[in-house]
Amino acid sequence: MSSGTNGTALVAGAGVGGLATAIGLRRAGWTVRLLERRTAPEHYGTAFAIHPTAQAALDRLGLGDALRARAVPYRHARIRRPDGRVLAALPLERVERKAGRPELLISRPHLLDALLAELDRLGGADVAYGRPLTDPSTDPRAAAANLVVGADGINSTVRTAHFGSRSGVRAIGTVAWIGIADFETGVYGETWGDGRFFGMTPVEPGRTNWYAAVPEATTAGEVRAAFAGWHDPVPRVLAETDPASWIRYEMRHLHPALPAFTAGGRIALVGDAAHAMTPNLGQGACTALLDAEALTRAVAARGGPAGLPAALRAYDAERRRSAQRVALASRTLHRFVTGRRPALRDALAGLLPG
């Protein structure tokens, strides 16, 4: 383990939430060990949207400059019908006016690289790749730690071991596809059709992040066919992106909501382990970062292991209801966007604040 003075922590999962938690704990003087089921650091995926609140959390973790060095601002986006008619503007300008900074988009590999670099700058942590925490209730590595953090995703073993199986993984019947096109479309936002939707965002110069949700599509050919008659540049994006680079996943969420994010005065959950949500609001990475920063700030404010019960109560009070509201709003938006009453949906979309 890396050197520390205030206590020892075991973090299950070396994704965004786990790495950010390790950074916060290292900054607070804790010894940290990370266990990751993958055999190497993640370098896949497309874009993360980072809301100004999550940017502020990254600033407090010492990562703000690294984020801004590789991110691009997201300022102009529209909601459209498949024929291209604009229904509404996404409230990005209002977000920027209120926060004094724009929403940012960064590729997933760039953000993970920045997290790993900052952890290394702080003296690192003992990262065990290919060594997952499969049974937290009996694993001696967990028993030896003062604090155990479950950042191990939607299928969290820490959650199951300490919170039971009442809150579990639920599929919502929609398959999502994501990819990156090697050109800038200049057309950003989402297009809502009959039971399906397509989105595009900037991600870095010369490239466009895209995502599609199609309940019935199982192959790249079927995805292309589902959007063949949609407005430009949707068909072009799909035609010019190699299907071998597409990522396909079944949309799932955690339901019902957990009654707590902490247990036993030494167990805490962050990110998808605590509140996995549909991707419709683009808040998965943001909520994981906010969780990690709030948890480690609470731990740092209360010193060593003796202060953990109070720190975890403070973390739960700050983050649980907020994160669960975001998760509920994202699931509600998914139902709205994929509904089979397009005329009503289009009319309501026109009422959204710009």
Side-chain angles (χ1 to χ4, degrees):
M1 291 190 183
S2 56
S3 61
T5 59
N6 284 340
T8 60
L10 183 72
V11 179
V16 169
L19 290 171
T21 299
I23 288 167
L25 291 171
R26 288 295 296 126
R27 290 174 69 89
W30 280 61
T31 297
V32 181
R33 186 175 194 183
L34 277 157
L35 302 179
E36 170 56 48
R37 65 178 176 82
R38 294 180 177 86
T39 57
E42 297 177 328
H43 280 93
Y44 71 91
T46 54
F48 282 143
I50 309 298
H51 188 272
T53 55
Q55 294 173 41
L58 284 169
D59 283 334
R60 292 190 291 271
L61 289 169
L63 284 151
D65 289 343
L67 169 72
R68 287 181 284 272
R70 300 303 298 266
V72 296
Y74 194 26
R75 288 192 165 103
H76 306 289
R78 302 290 183 264
I79 298 171
R80 296 174 172 85
R81 295 195 325 185
D83 62 7
R85 174 188 164 193
V86 174
L87 298 173
L90 293 181
L92 298 172
E93 295 176 20
R94 182 164 57 89
V95 168
E96 184 171 357
R97 285 195 305 271
K98 182 177 179 181
R101 62 172 89 182
E103 185 160 318
L104 296 176
L105 288 154
I106 187 169
S107 78
R108 179 190 177 103
H110 289 337
L111 180 58
L112 290 168
D113 284 346
L115 291 166
L116 286 165
E118 178 64 12
L119 187 58
D120 185 63
R121 190 189 70 80
L122 292 170
D126 182 0
V127 185
Y129 290 103
R131 299 280 304 278
L133 190 60
T134 56
D135 189 352
S137 60
T138 61
D139 194 306
R141 296 171 296 182
N146 300 122
L147 171 64
V148 176
V149 180
D152 48 346
I154 190 170
N155 295 310
S156 171
T157 60
V158 177
R159 184 185 67 242
T160 301
H162 295 283
F163 298 82
S165 57
R166 179 176 178 271
S167 294
V169 180
R170 306 287 188 267
I172 62 173
T174 301
V175 173
W177 304 72
I178 56 177
I180 293 182
D182 288 326
F183 62 93
E184 293 182 36
T185 66
V187 177
Y188 303 124
E190 290 191 350
T191 302
W192 298 349
D194 184 14
R196 67 197 68 181
F197 61 88
F198 193 94
M200 292 173 284
T201 74
V203 61
E204 56 191 14
R207 310 183 84 195
T208 296
N209 173 71
W210 63 264
Y211 52 94
V214 195
E216 66 275 20
T218 58
T219 67
E222 290 173 338
V223 175
R224 286 170 169 162
F227 296 102
W230 287 36
H231 67 81
D232 288 335
V234 173
R236 181 189 168 201
V237 165
L238 292 171
E240 296 188 20
T241 308
D242 182 359
S245 69
W246 299 11
I247 297 172
R248 178 187 184 275
Y249 68 96
E250 183 180 22
M251 283 193 187
R252 300 176 297 164
H253 67 138
L254 188 66
H255 183 80
L258 287 168
F261 285 179
T262 65
R266 60 182 291 270
I267 309 295
L269 302 176
V270 301
D272 282 354
H275 47 66
M277 62 188 72
T278 67
N280 299 81
L281 286 177
Q283 291 292 303
C286 290
T287 50
L289 290 168
L290 289 166
D291 291 349
E293 192 278 327
L295 172 62
T296 58
R297 172 166 34 86
V299 170
R302 289 160 180 83
L308 276 179
L312 298 193
R313 287 194 297 271
Y315 164 64
D316 187 71
E318 178 177 343
R319 289 298 305 149
R320 178 164 49 88
R321 293 187 184 280
S322 175
Q324 289 173 346
R325 281 195 298 268
V326 173
L328 176 60
S330 190
R331 178 71 181 95
T332 301
L333 180 60
H334 181 271
R335 290 190 182 121
F336 176 72
V337 171
T338 58
R340 297 289 181 170
R341 300 177 66 184
L344 175 61
R345 183 190 61 228
D346 293 353
L348 292 174
L351 300 177
L352 293 174

